[in-house]
Amino acid sequence: MTQTTTRRKRASRGSGEQLHAEIVAATKGLLARSANSDAVSIRAVADAVGVTPPSIYLHFADKDALIEAVVSDVFAELDAAMVAAGEAVEHPLEKLRAYGLAYVRFAVEHPEHYRVATMERCPIEGQPGQLDHVLADAAFVHFMATVRGCMDAGIFAQGDPLPITLQLWSAAHGIASLMIAKPFLPWGDIDAVADPVLCAAALGRATADLLGGKPHPQQIIDWLAAQRASAG
Amino acid sequence: MTQTTTRRKRASRGSGEQLHAEIVAATKGLLARSANSDAVSIRAVADAVGVTPPSIYLHFADKDALIEAVVSDVFAELDAAMVAAGEAVEHPLEKLRAYGLAYVRFAVEHPEHYRVATMERCPIEGQPGQLDHVLADAAFVHFMATVRGCMDAGIFAQGDPLPITLQLWSAAHGIASLMIAKPFLPWGDIDAVADPVLCAAALGRATADLLGGKPHPQQIIDWLAAQRASAG
DNA sequence: TGTACATCAGTGAACGCGCGTTCACTGATGTAC
DNA sequence: TGTACATCAGTGAACGCGCGTTCACTGATGTAC
């Protein structure tokens, strides 16, 4: 790869951190066009910023630290998109839906960023901080708070919001990652696909709560028959 | 990496295909301990089989062809697991649940195989065959046939089974890939987590059909209130 | 206002490595006579 | 039954490449005097 950018001006004395942000931005840009983070090289990042490879090490300990910074940035962007989408929405169930749609939209519009952030960093060794890290993540906190709001509004049964949050998260993640992985399937409009899936997930959970929490297939079959009968 | 296996015996004349299967098996073994297919090298595969790297090219055109063979093998294994799980089950909804549970179990028990098969091969250029390839995949065919069975049994509204199949597939994929990506979350037993998610997905879809197909949040809110009122 | 100097953002060249793939070859296997 | 030979599964050595990272350095910037 040849130099794509003109050599940038040297930063003035105390403002070394400026390059930090530029490096993260350039890495995100390259990542968007790559299959995974292995395929983005320090050399390519340096080249995109207009700097030599060793300069990267003035701002990040190693490649892992750089990717970690990118992942943090992506999560912040995702949370911002969700919060913006839920801002004007009142009812917690409507808000949950707005969050979910924003989540799926973000994933589909930034597939490689989403992939790296949620699917790539598989930690073999269980370092203890990562559970707290997820649970403290801004997007997750906002999501779980809204699930609690739905409990208070009588949508879901009262209780620990974590399992329901995970369940609804997995619904959003499932449709998002499938759309990313199989873009050639006849999906159609993003919202038009994601909306029924998300609504069905919430409705399924709420109905399951009506049926006592963990409905078995036979229970579902009987219940559907009764519903149909009473509807005429 | 040093030679881990003793040099294997040379295959007798017409039986060159034997090595083909051994190579695929060795690649699967190495893949199970790697982050992605880039991290499995031709050299490591050759070493695991007890052969030199150029021998691989006697059986596969290049590395891509090898990985593709592995992915096919993984999909066949997944389908076999699903079929086995659904064999003794009569009602299509029960069968759908058995398939889903087997699917999630397979994914969690072979996380790297599942990841490579469903999440890694992202084809930038749309070659036309891949849509048909998915739709003709044995696991997908079995899944969709069972969705159609559920329509005939009155569980889902009659119509094109493809959208429902995709919706339920995304539910299974969502919980499976989230469990793989975030193994440190408090999931508990695989079936105990997957079962309510899968049942809720099916129930949500069935209930949505009762409500006319695509329920909006307000409709869900009103319906839940009515249900609760009529239940006393 | 002018100059010597410390600071530190960024450079240039090189390191050792493992990779996918190639090519001319070897030598056991099975067959033709 | 014995031998010459074609076949072809597998080898050994090498190719060019791009990678992450290091190290001694340079030279513009800002400050002390």
Side-chain angles (χ1 to χ4, degrees):
Chain A
M1 197 175 292
T2 59
Q3 180 93 15
T4 57
T5 319
T6 45
R7 167 92 23 103
R8 73 193 285 280
K9 285 247 178 65
R10 178 204 178 105
S12 60
R13 216 53 114 74
S15 56
E17 307 100 40
Q18 187 191 326
L19 185 51
H20 188 284
E22 278 184 54
I23 291 170
V24 169
T27 308
K28 284 178 71 179
L30 289 169
L31 214 42
R33 285 164 206 85
S34 310
N36 57 64
S37 62
D38 285 353
V40 173
S41 69
I42 294 282
R43 287 166 145 92
V45 170
D47 186 64
V49 176
V51 116
T52 59
S55 297
I56 307 294
Y57 293 89
L58 258 38
H59 300 274
F60 300 92
D62 52 22
K63 194 184 176 182
D64 258 27
L66 170 57
I67 299 297
E68 213 164 284
V70 168
V71 168
S72 282
D73 194 276
V74 168
F75 273 126
E77 211 187 327
L78 169 59
D79 179 58
M82 282 173 53
V83 167
E87 212 164 30
V89 178
E90 263 305 311
H91 194 284
L93 186 61
E94 296 266 16
K95 193 165 219 159
L96 219 43
R97 177 208 194 196
Y99 280 173
L101 286 175
Y103 183 98
V104 174
R105 228 180 282 124
F106 181 89
V108 173
E109 282 167 5
H110 311 83
E112 295 308 333
H113 293 170
Y114 182 76
R115 186 203 297 270
V116 170
T118 66
M119 299 191 261
E120 206 170 88
R121 317 246 91 191
C122 186
I124 302 284
E125 42 211 328
Q127 73 197 78
Q130 52 199 7
L131 171 58
D132 302 331
H133 197 274
V134 166
L135 299 184
D137 178 75
F140 192 87
V141 166
H142 286 131
F143 208 67
M144 190 148 78
T146 310
V147 168
R148 185 166 265 135
C150 282
M151 288 177 169
D152 295 341
I155 303 295
F156 303 132
Q158 286 286 351
D160 180 9
L162 181 57
I164 299 186
T165 305
L166 291 178
Q167 177 168 349
L168 297 181
W169 182 16
S170 88
H173 174 69
I175 190 67
S177 61
L178 212 57
M179 289 177 90
I180 290 171
K182 314 283 176 203
F184 48 84
L185 287 175
W187 295 112
D189 180 65
I190 301 177
D191 285 12
V193 181
D195 199 23
V197 170
L198 296 171
C199 288
L203 177 57
R205 180 69 216 194
T207 310
D209 284 353
L210 280 183
L211 297 181
K214 297 189 175 184
H216 288 271
Q218 191 55 53
Q219 212 178 337
I220 295 175
I221 294 164
D222 295 344
W223 180 79
L224 283 172
Q227 286 288 317
R228 228 174 298 262
S230 77
Chain B
M1 196 176 291
T2 59
Q3 179 94 15
T4 58
T5 320
T6 45
R7 166 94 24 101
R8 73 191 285 280
K9 286 247 178 64
R10 178 203 178 106
S12 59
R13 216 51 115 73
S15 55
E17 307 100 40
Q18 187 191 325
L19 185 51
H20 188 283
E22 278 184 54
I23 292 170
V24 169
T27 307
K28 283 178 70 178
L30 288 169
L31 214 43
R33 286 164 206 86
S34 309
N36 57 64
S37 61
D38 284 353
V40 173
S41 70
I42 293 282
R43 287 166 145 90
V45 170
D47 186 63
V49 176
V51 116
T52 58
S55 298
I56 306 295
Y57 294 89
L58 258 38
H59 301 273
F60 299 91
D62 52 22
K63 193 183 176 182
D64 257 27
L66 170 56
I67 299 297
E68 211 164 285
V70 168
V71 168
S72 281
D73 194 276
V74 168
F75 273 126
E77 211 188 326
L78 168 59
D79 179 59
M82 282 173 52
V83 167
E87 210 165 30
V89 178
E90 265 305 311
H91 193 285
L93 185 61
E94 297 265 16
K95 192 166 219 157
L96 220 42
R97 176 208 195 195
Y99 280 174
L101 286 176
Y103 183 97
V104 175
R105 228 180 281 125
F106 181 90
V108 173
E109 282 166 4
H110 311 83
E112 295 309 333
H113 293 170
Y114 181 76
R115 186 205 298 269
V116 170
T118 67
M119 299 191 262
E120 205 171 272
R121 318 246 88 193
C122 186
I124 302 286
E125 42 212 328
Q127 72 196 79
Q130 54 200 5
L131 171 59
D132 302 331
H133 197 275
V134 165
L135 298 184
D137 178 75
F140 192 86
V141 166
H142 287 131
F143 208 68
M144 190 147 78
T146 310
V147 168
R148 184 166 266 134
C150 282
M151 288 176 168
D152 295 340
I155 303 294
F156 302 132
Q158 286 287 351
D160 181 7
L162 181 57
I164 300 187
T165 305
L166 291 178
Q167 177 167 349
L168 297 180
W169 181 16
S170 87
H173 174 70
I175 190 67
S177 60
L178 212 57
M179 288 176 89
I180 289 170
K182 314 283 176 203
F184 47 84
L185 288 175
W187 295 110
D189 180 66
I190 302 177
D191 284 13
V193 181
D195 199 23
V197 170
L198 296 171
C199 288
L203 177 57
R205 180 70 217 194
T207 310
D209 284 354
L210 280 183
L211 296 181
K214 298 190 173 183
H216 288 271
Q218 190 56 54
Q219 213 180 336
I220 295 175
I221 294 164
D222 295 343
W223 180 79
L224 283 172
Q227 286 287 317
R228 228 174 298 264
S230 78

